[in-house]
Amino acid sequence: MEEEISKLGPLPNTTSRNLSSSSSAFFSANQSPFFSPRSSTCRKSAQSDELASNEHPIRLSRRLPLSSNEVLPQNGCSKQKSKGKRVERSLEIEVPPASYSSNRLRSCDVYVGFYGRKPLLLRFANWLRAELEVQGLSCFLTDRSRCRNSRKHNIVEKAMDACTYGVVILTKKSFRNPYTIEELRFFSSKKNLVPIYFDLGPDDCLVRDIVEKRGEVWEKYGGELWLLYGGVEKEWKDALGALSRVDEWKLEARDEQWRHCILRAVSLLALRLGRRSVVDRMTKWREKAEKEEFPFPRNENFVGRKKEISELEFMLFGDVSRDAERDYFELKARPRRKNLTIAWGRTSSIDEKQRDRQSESSKRKGKEPIEWRESEKVIEMQNTEFSQPQQHTAKPKNGRRNGRRRSLKVEYGKGIACVSGDSGIGKTELVLEYAYRHHQRYKMVLWIGGESRYIRQNYMNLWSFLEIDVGVESCAEKTRPKSFEEQEEAAISRIRKELMRNIPFLLVIDNLESEKDWWDHKHVMDLLPRFGGETHVIICTRLSRIMNLEPLRLSYLSGVEAMALMQGVVKDQSISEIDALRVIEEKLGRLTLGLAIVGAILSELPITPSRLLDTINRMPSKVPSWTGRENHPLRRNNFLLQLFEVCFSIFDHADGPRSLATRMVLASGWFAPAPIPLPILAGAAKKIPEKKRHIRLWRKILASLACGLTSSFARRSEAEASALLLRFNMARNCTKQGCIQFNHLVKLYSRKRGISGVPQAMVHAVIARGSMSHSSDHIWAACFLLLGFGKDPIVVELKVTQLLLLVKEVILPLAVRTFVSFSRCNAAMELLRLCTDALEATDQELVTPVDKWLDKSLCWKPIQTNAQLNPCLWQDLTLARATVLEVRAKLMVRGGKFDIGDDLIRKAVYIRTSICGEDHPDTISARDTLTKLTRIIATVQTHTSP
């Protein structure tokens, strides 16, 4: 499907995606009964008169008033129309009179009918249709009440008659709609009815309960519903009775079980249609999603944040669900506020005039609007002023008043939200709780880390969930290859295109450090899908504002919530102990992370809050060194640092003087911001050099408190040490088996303590136990310490033998995998360049004469070099450099940089010829690479020259 879509070239701005999200009557132009699923154009048939004359066997005695907003097919194109007193963006596709052959209708696998205009219903129906099409099932989706004339009704009825299965989405208002009743009767008579219960269940669809308005559901929506549209009572009752006879289909989407309902519906339909491969593929995908969808388990002790979760839902959907209405509070518009303005390339004339007036107003004030434009699909993000709705008195040219109109589109309901707050305040916990509550509204939750050095790779890792290829594209020898930048943009666009389908995903970017990528300084907007679509985006950041979005600023917990978090399992406290807890809360700056650690200590140890407060105050302060420009919560919260030290002391007394848990925390500061495998973390912790400790009074106090833990916590294994960290909330568990993750504040403090030997221990553990597929982020972190990217200093230096092992086992596989599998060309080439520099620097040290006093005293002995003292080691180092040069040359050719590639491969050939000889297999291989490169350069120059 992707290949077919790509062959169509640029589509008009009003694509099928916008179509389905803007209108209730919509369908897929690629997979409708009027379009071949594999064809990009519509060809007229000679049997148009026959199609127009045929009528559906079931007819209604009366049609409903026809609406002005509907969708039907026309040659894969679309138009935009504004009509009525309420100005809104509507889409309409005209149909030429009966221009489709009967074989088009026979290609329809599933007909989906629904009734209603609620956004959540439209979102569900749109998702169902898109999921069917992605799995290769042709689908026709429509709201028949939106059709305007009999000709279009005839086309829809032809689709009903030609489909294999008829799906009817039922809501509380469906039974007052004549078209829904007709669909139920028609498909039940053909024995192919598939009802989907959206906001009610099969037990609610009883004729007696509806007519007599029994139960909570029908008190408002029940009654003699056939009278509302002039139907026949018997036909109405027969239609409802048909639902009770459909036993094999029990598809319920209520209680927000959307994902389960849609995936089950598609699987059952595919199975009935004989598409066994679809069922197997969906089963495999579902198993993968259940294991890897969420990065962390759900926090069963989540406290508070009801209003924040409701507001987050409102920012994404523009509405709140039934359960969140009681927690929702009114958002008051402020007189001056920067808003997110989103518009597509072609908008209505009213929107264009409105935007022109805003631009002129901003120019008169001396402020130019700020805009980011996304290629042909325009995304405008402007600095604009918020104005209250005003009553327009002047009439437009059409003679009608516009009524109440905002001068701007507000950001709510556009599918993007930003959560801002200090480190440790609970941003990740809030978004995680929201994702668990509403994950059934999305096909999958895609969670990536937003750290500037890792966000691009984390984004590319989504390929496994989206089932697309993001590797480097191969090209013919006669054409010039794409540049590195073009290949990276192509890979990113493939992921963005998948996220811009009608299938909803929830993309969470956790801990976004900067709006720009660290590698090439590109804006994060290049990664995000188009706003206003089905995919929603949540960004967690410590920044006060990003992308001109108005963030949800996360504040501290209330006093009651903070007290509940600190008390833990111990609820009955005296007044003096409650006062001690309030003092601890204030000294911690009411930081959620600190409150959770205090609650864990009180739950795990036999200690009162007042005694814990006294212990923290007695703890010596180990304030790390801060630079003058650093403004971090740790710098302003010395009490939190003392709390960390209390935890370290508890671990040491529970596990002996060389506590594995403490050393694991200290080593965590040098790992990447990703889940850390326990074997690697424990391996790094065990390599940290031991430091002697002096026994002091406060340590004796802690020893007495932790004496009960000593017998059960003696000499912990790595699993037991990690469990200890989890119990005291110094780390958090991950859904990835055998991994834990640390908070940013804990890692920062561990790094700032400056324990010698910790970076070296981390690097050695990653090299020894790291896996390219499971711990690539930590391998990159080790490379940052070893090679000094950008302005970073080289923190860890290796011996020559260790460097050779690193190049062979780590750097070369990492660079090739990053380049070929993820199209991160510039990052891979920078890694290889720095590796070459490191090898050349080491080689220069080996050929430098040895400066030893013994050699100077023996004047008759010539001065030697390390290369002369150990020639085999020098040869291995030089050949490793040749290997890196050859790999760089091959990758340069993939990016069209032939001149640089030619120079690199010639250096590799010279080195191997000098050391190995001309007939050595490695020399012959390098020479063959040079020959191929020369031929490619000649071929490309021949075919690209004017």
Side-chain angles (χ1 to χ4, degrees), residues 340-359:
L340 172 66
T341 302
I342 301 174
W344 309 121
R346 297 177 182 177
T347 56
S348 63
S349 58
I350 295 179
D351 292 337
E352 293 176 356
K353 293 178 181 179
Q354 182 177 359
R355 190 164 57 249
D356 293 337
R357 289 196 299 267
Q358 296 167 1
S359 177

Side-chain angles (χ1 to χ4, degrees), residues 293-459:
E293 178 177 16
F294 293 98
F296 312 112
R298 189 169 188 175
N299 185 3
E300 301 297 337
N301 299 320
F302 184 80
V303 176
R305 305 297 191 191
K306 292 184 179 180
K307 292 183 179 180
E308 288 83 352
I309 291 179
S310 298
E311 184 175 0
L312 190 59
E313 180 184 358
F314 181 71
M315 294 173 71
L316 294 174
F317 289 95
D319 194 4
V320 292
S321 61
R322 177 180 54 189
D323 296 335
E325 289 180 355
R326 60 178 178 270
D327 301 326
Y328 178 70
F329 61 98
E330 183 179 0
L331 299 176
K332 296 182 178 179
R334 286 167 285 183
R336 296 176 63 87
R337 185 171 72 182
K338 295 180 179 180
N339 287 288
L340 172 66
T341 302
I342 301 174
W344 309 121
R346 297 177 182 177
T347 56
S348 63
S349 58
I350 295 179
D351 292 337
E352 293 176 356
K353 293 178 181 179
Q354 182 177 359
R355 190 164 57 249
D356 293 337
R357 289 196 299 267
Q358 296 167 1
S359 177
E360 294 175 0
S361 175
S362 62
K363 290 180 180 180
R364 287 194 299 268
K365 296 179 181 180
K367 298 179 180 179
E368 293 293 334
I370 301 176
E371 298 184 359
W372 287 272
R373 294 183 178 271
E374 179 195 17
S375 64
E376 297 178 357
K377 308 177 188 71
V378 180
I379 289 183
E380 299 176 357
M381 306 188 67
Q382 301 177 335
N383 263 336
T384 52
E385 298 298 331
F386 183 87
S387 60
Q388 297 290 340
Q390 296 179 356
Q391 187 75 23
H392 295 276
T393 56
K395 290 186 178 181
K397 293 182 179 180
N398 58 7
R400 288 178 297 189
R401 299 179 184 269
N402 288 331
R404 294 184 178 180
R405 293 281 297 171
R406 288 186 183 269
S407 61
L408 295 176
K409 306 184 188 76
V410 298
E411 67 270 33
Y412 297 107
K414 294 301 182 182
I416 183 169
C418 174
V419 180
S420 175
D422 295 334
S423 296
I425 199 65
K427 302 183 295 296
T428 300
E429 292 291 345
L430 171 69
V431 177
L432 184 67
E433 180 64 20
Y434 172 84
Y436 269 105
R437 290 188 184 184
H438 301 289
H439 71 281
Q440 283 288 332
R441 291 190 182 185
Y442 306 93
K443 181 175 182 179
M444 191 174 186
V445 178
L446 305 174
W447 193 293
I448 63 175
E451 292 78 12
S452 58
R453 297 194 183 198
Y454 302 93
I455 183 174
R456 184 73 62 87
Q457 181 63 51
N458 295 335
Y459 185 81

Side-chain angles (χ1 to χ4, degrees), residues 479-517:
T479 60
R480 176 175 290 274
K482 294 181 180 180
S483 64
F484 292 154
E485 291 75 13
E486 291 173 340
Q487 295 186 40
E488 291 187 6
E489 291 176 359
I492 292 174
S493 66
R494 288 195 286 272
I495 294 182
R496 293 182 71 245
K497 181 184 295 185
E498 197 68 21
L499 294 178
M500 289 190 294
R501 287 180 179 271
N502 289 331
I503 298 178
F505 291 93
L506 176 60
L507 177 62
V508 178
I509 303 179
D510 192 18
N511 192 25
L512 182 67
E513 290 183 341
S514 174
E515 292 185 1
K516 296 184 178 180
D517 186 77

Side-chain angles (χ1 to χ4, degrees), residues 426-608:
K427 302 183 295 296
T428 300
E429 292 291 345
L430 171 69
V431 177
L432 184 67
E433 180 64 20
Y434 172 84
Y436 269 105
R437 290 188 184 184
H438 301 289
H439 71 281
Q440 283 288 332
R441 291 190 182 185
Y442 306 93
K443 181 175 182 179
M444 191 174 186
V445 178
L446 305 174
W447 193 293
I448 63 175
E451 292 78 12
S452 58
R453 297 194 183 198
Y454 302 93
I455 183 174
R456 184 73 62 87
Q457 181 63 51
N458 295 335
Y459 185 81
M460 302 306 294
N461 288 338
L462 297 178
W463 73 271
S464 61
F465 300 107
L466 302 177
E467 298 179 334
I468 58 176
D469 183 17
V470 294
V472 175
E473 298 176 350
S474 59
C475 61
E477 292 187 358
K478 296 182 180 180
T479 60
R480 176 175 290 274
K482 294 181 180 180
S483 64
F484 292 154
E485 291 75 13
E486 291 173 340
Q487 295 186 40
E488 291 187 6
E489 291 176 359
I492 292 174
S493 66
R494 288 195 286 272
I495 294 182
R496 293 182 71 245
K497 181 184 295 185
E498 197 68 21
L499 294 178
M500 289 190 294
R501 287 180 179 271
N502 289 331
I503 298 178
F505 291 93
L506 176 60
L507 177 62
V508 178
I509 303 179
D510 192 18
N511 192 25
L512 182 67
E513 290 183 341
S514 174
E515 292 185 1
K516 296 184 178 180
D517 186 77
W518 183 84
W519 293 93
D520 52 14
H521 305 289
K522 289 185 178 180
H523 203 277
V524 69
M525 275 289 298
D526 296 339
L527 306 178
L528 302 182
R530 187 170 49 206
F531 299 159
E534 305 300 328
T535 294
H536 290 173
V537 180
I538 301 178
I539 301 176
C540 299
T541 181
R542 298 188 299 271
L543 304 175
S544 58
R545 179 182 292 271
I546 59 170
M547 296 187 301
N548 202 23
L549 291 173
E550 185 71 23
L552 170 60
R553 301 188 186 278
L554 203 60
S555 184
Y556 307 105
L557 294 174
S558 64
V560 176
E561 296 167 346
M563 192 63 59
L565 186 59
M566 285 190 295
Q567 285 181 328
V569 297
V570 182
K571 299 300 182 182
D572 297 330
Q573 299 282 357
S574 63
I575 297 178
S576 60
E577 300 300 335
I578 294 293
D579 293 338
L581 286 176
R582 297 198 183 279
V583 173
I584 293 176
E585 177 189 356
E586 293 299 325
K587 286 196 171 187
L588 284 173
R590 304 171 68 185
L591 206 60
T592 308
L593 174 64
L595 302 179
I597 295 176
V598 169
I601 294 175
L602 295 177
S603 300
E604 295 291 335
L605 298 178
I607 184 174
T608 61

